Amino acid sequence: MAKAELDLVDLLQPSPVIALREAGKVYHTGSISYEALRGIDLTIEDGEYVAIMGPSGSGKSTLMNVLGCLDDLTAGSYRIAGQDVSKLGDDELAVIRNRRIGFVFQQFNLLSSLTALRNVELPLVYAGVHRDERRERAIRALEQVGLGDRTANKPGELSGGQQQRVAVARALVGEPTLLLADEPTGNLDSTATRDVLSLFSELHSQGRTIVLITHESDVAANADRIVHVYDGRIQADEAVRS
Ligand code: ADP
Ligand code: MG
């Protein structure tokens, strides 16, 4: 094919949700520097459910911060949905975080004084969505995680598993390109863990792109693909048989 045709084929190909190339991250503490990520090549396509697994200190949270545009690389490149993150300023990064990424953390990070509904509405407040639409979308997101009857409850009136589902609803309400979860079951008992993982599987079957960070192999086994990290490198990248 001629070069122009190849360029066109390239343009018509959808960009992967995530493309890390030779990605590196060095932390400096005083005179000591530590290479937390080394030569990471990672591509994640639209609709994939990927677990990033590794022991404590392997670089998972560093990778999560990079993927979530919360921290920048010191080497290599990161494109999210085709957009080169290193070229963006702080304001543009904030927009990417708000529009493209839904975060779920180990500590649910819900505001205890607000109802489930108000917690889920918050990202839409920041995005400037009008009150009625905000409310409607937050109710829909809570229904989607099976909490349509808990909209008026505050976090303290909900179980751990329910609180994490509120956090998932909050992550989804902005219709992000990517759901990014760092040890989302780390604070949950086994029943609540199963509950949250089955929600992730359901969201995946609806076409969501999910990156789940965990140190537990039985949690990682819920994904379709497991990327093993060790000492800041990708050690293995395996498809999970289902
Ligand atoms: P994990 O989430 O897999 O436990 P992290 O990404 O938190 O791993 O950390 C990877 C390595 O980078 C660890 O050795 C940690 O001590 C180091 N590290 C993480 N954050 C910082 C930081 N802000 N400054 C210096 N070193 C850091
Ligand atoms: Mg961590």
Side-chain angles (χ1 to χ4, degrees), residues 17-18 45-48 67-69 78 80-81 94-104 120 123-124 127 129 137 140-141 144-145 166-181 200 203-204 206-211:
V17 172
I18 282 171
E45 302 289 346
D46 192 32
E48 276 198 280
L67 294 179
C69 302
Y78 175 34
I80 179 162
V95 170
I96 297 257
R97 277 197 298 272
N98 209 326
R99 300 255 171 87
R100 293 247 179 238
I101 304 161
F103 293 94
V104 178
V120 175
L124 300 180
V129 175
R137 284 170 65 177
R140 234 184 299 136
Q144 214 188 350
V145 301
V166 173
V168 173
R170 180 187 53 189
L172 292 176
V173 77
E175 294 292 331
T177 312
L178 171 68
L179 185 65
L180 193 53
F200 277 28
L203 294 169
H204 170 52
Q206 293 164 6
R208 299 269 175 195
T209 311
I210 304 174
V211 174

Side-chain angles (χ1 to χ4, degrees), residues 1-10:
M1 263 190 282
K3 165 123 190 6
E5 281 176 64
L6 283 174
D7 285 348
L8 188 61
V9 169
D10 219 42

Side-chain angles (χ1 to χ4, degrees), residues 4 70 73 87 93 95 130 134 162 166 190:
L70 296 163
L73 291 168
K87 297 212 164 65
L93 283 176
V95 170
H130 187 267
R134 235 162 47 205
Q162 287 173 329
V166 173
S190 58

Side-chain angles (χ1 to χ4, degrees), residues 108-116 118-119 122 126 153-156 166 170:
F108 324 125
N109 292 0
L110 299 172
L111 295 181
S112 58
S113 62
L114 300 184
T115 62
R118 301 291 286 165
N119 267 286
L122 267 188
Y126 301 135
N153 289 92
K154 291 182 178 170
V166 173
R170 180 187 53 189

